[in-house]
């Protein structure tokens, strides 16, 4: 409920920070259903519905729509990443989008999957009427700029996948972001968006600089255990991790705290 007070456009459930690989199918659906009930009615709910097989992803996407998701965010299948060619990924996403009752958002997160959704595949998929955009968490802003450029004739939105390169993404034509850091610094992430969208680049740059370390801490550096710990510290509910994820060590907790205090957030 507390997160509902920020001017977010919506919420992503079962993204990289939702521990979805550790949940059963029924748990994944229950989480989305509960978030739908708890959140303000006028916000969008994006649900991560990606599975390894195309068939399972289609079924999960249909189910996510039934429990209240407004759109499905579909991560690249990656277990057989050596065979995940552009052709394979285009086929996968096309099938999912064909059968999905809700719009589909492509999701590339190479830090977790070891796989970048190829630009040529994104360009082809952007032409599908039910594929409305992409979340790119790779952090390569030249790639983000190229995707914006090559999909400009389509009704296709490019979203930055992390707060560390949010300003750079806006500067290159991205229209939003899905940021783990917004779980704790929601007001600041929204402020950065406002500064970019109103052309206050100098102020935006100052704020962006102060968000880079805390963002890295809750993503690359300490991951989900770090994000959950900092949520507890900020008065949200982070809670325990699901095994095999382990809690942070005391030394890691200290380093996490430093990344926030040295930038003036704690």
């Amino acid at each position: 409920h507390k997160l509902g007070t920020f001017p977010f456009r919506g919420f992503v459930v079962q993204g990289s920070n939702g521990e979805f690989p550790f949940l059963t199918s029924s748990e994944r659906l229950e989480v989305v259903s509960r978030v739908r009930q708890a959140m303000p009615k006028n916000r969008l709910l994006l649900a991560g519905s990606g599975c390894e097989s195309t068939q399972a992803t289609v079924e999960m996407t249909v189910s996510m729509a039934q429990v209240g998701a407004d759109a499905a965010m579909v991560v690249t299948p990656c277990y057989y990443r050596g065979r995940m060619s552009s052709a394979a990924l285009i086929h996968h996403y096309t099938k999912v989008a064909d059968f999905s009752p809700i719009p589909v958002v492509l999701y590339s997160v190479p830090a977790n999957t070891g796989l970048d959704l190829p630009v040529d595949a994104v360009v082809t998929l952007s032409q599908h009427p039910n594929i409305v955009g992409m979340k790119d968490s790779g952090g390569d802003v030249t790639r983000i700029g190229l995707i914006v450029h090559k999909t400009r004739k389509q009704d296709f939105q490019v979203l930055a996948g992390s707060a560390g390169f949010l300003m750079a993404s806006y500067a290159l034509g991205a229209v939003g972001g899905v940021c783990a850091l917004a779980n704790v610094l929601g007001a600041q992430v929204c402020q950065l968006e406002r500064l970019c969208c109103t052309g206050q680049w100098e102020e935006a740059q100052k704020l962006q600089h102060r968000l880079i370390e805390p963002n890295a801490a809750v993503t690359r550096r300490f991951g989900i255990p770090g994000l959950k710990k900092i949520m507890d510290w900020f008065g949200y509910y982070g809670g325990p991790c699901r095994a095999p994820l382990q809690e942070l060590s005391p030394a890691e907790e200290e380093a996490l705290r430093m990344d926030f205090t040295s930038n003036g957030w704690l």
Side-chain angles (χ1 to χ4, degrees):
H1 288 292
K2 197 170 163 187
L3 287 171
T5 61
F6 297 115
F8 297 135
R9 185 70 186 87
F11 300 94
V12 169
V13 183
Q14 306 292 309
S16 302
N17 298 292
E19 294 177 273
F20 79 87
F22 298 167
L23 305 186
T24 64
S25 298
S26 57
E27 284 176 323
R28 286 179 69 175
L29 294 170
E30 188 184 347
V31 170
V32 172
S33 173
R34 290 194 180 207
V35 172
R36 177 84 270 174
Q37 287 157 18
M39 66 185 256
K41 295 283 173 280
N42 61 344
R43 308 288 174 90
L44 289 173
L45 176 56
L46 270 69
S49 66
C51 303
E52 282 300 315
S53 80
T54 304
Q55 178 63 31
T57 305
V58 166
E59 287 176 18
M60 181 61 79
T61 303
V62 169
S63 299
M64 287 295 191
Q66 287 165 350
V67 295
D70 296 304
M73 197 173 82
V74 181
V75 71
T76 50
C78 63
Y79 188 82
Y80 298 109
R81 73 176 60 86
R83 298 298 295 167
M84 290 300 107
S85 60
S86 286
L89 292 165
I90 288 167
H91 182 267
H92 174 74
Y93 281 109
T94 301
K95 277 278 177 283
V96 173
D98 283 348
F99 287 106
S100 174
I102 51 178
V104 169
V105 177
L106 311 174
Y107 183 21
S108 183
V109 54
N112 291 16
T113 61
L115 184 72
D116 249 326
L117 186 51
V119 173
D120 66 304
V122 176
V123 173
T124 300
L125 291 166
S126 72
Q127 296 160 36
H128 192 292
N130 202 32
I131 295 178
V132 296
M134 172 178 192
K135 177 191 178 190
D136 195 321
S137 299
D140 178 347
V141 292
T142 57
R143 173 185 147 91
I144 287 173
L146 188 61
I147 290 170
V148 169
H149 177 57
K150 285 185 169 289
T151 60
R152 68 194 182 282
K153 294 193 170 71
Q154 306 300 329
D155 187 9
F156 188 79
Q157 299 189 322
V158 180
L159 306 171
S162 200
F165 49 91
L166 191 57
M167 174 184 162
S169 300
Y170 275 119
L172 285 169
V175 298
V178 177
C179 307
L181 190 61
N183 284 291
V184 280
L185 297 180
Q188 292 81 355
V189 173
C190 289
Q191 170 69 358
L192 180 55
E193 188 254 0
R194 269 194 303 277
L195 292 169
C196 291
C197 292
T198 53
Q200 300 176 68
W201 295 108
E202 216 169 300
E203 287 304 303
Q205 188 188 76
K206 282 185 197 143
L207 179 54
Q208 176 68 85
H209 285 164
R210 293 174 60 210
L211 294 177
I212 291 171
E213 279 179 321
N215 179 73
V218 300
T219 54
R220 266 199 330 276
R221 197 169 175 203
F222 301 118
I224 289 171
L227 181 60
K228 289 195 166 198
K229 180 59 68 179
I230 202 81
M231 285 181 77
D232 286 336
W233 289 347
F234 271 82
Y236 298 100
Y237 178 73
C241 301
R242 182 165 283 199
L245 283 176
Q246 298 288 291
E247 306 298 321
L248 299 185
S249 69
E252 287 174 324
E253 276 193 33
E254 198 40 54
L256 173 65
R257 193 179 287 277
M258 269 306 299
D259 282 339
F260 278 78
T261 50
S262 65
N263 289 285
W265 303 122
L266 259 181

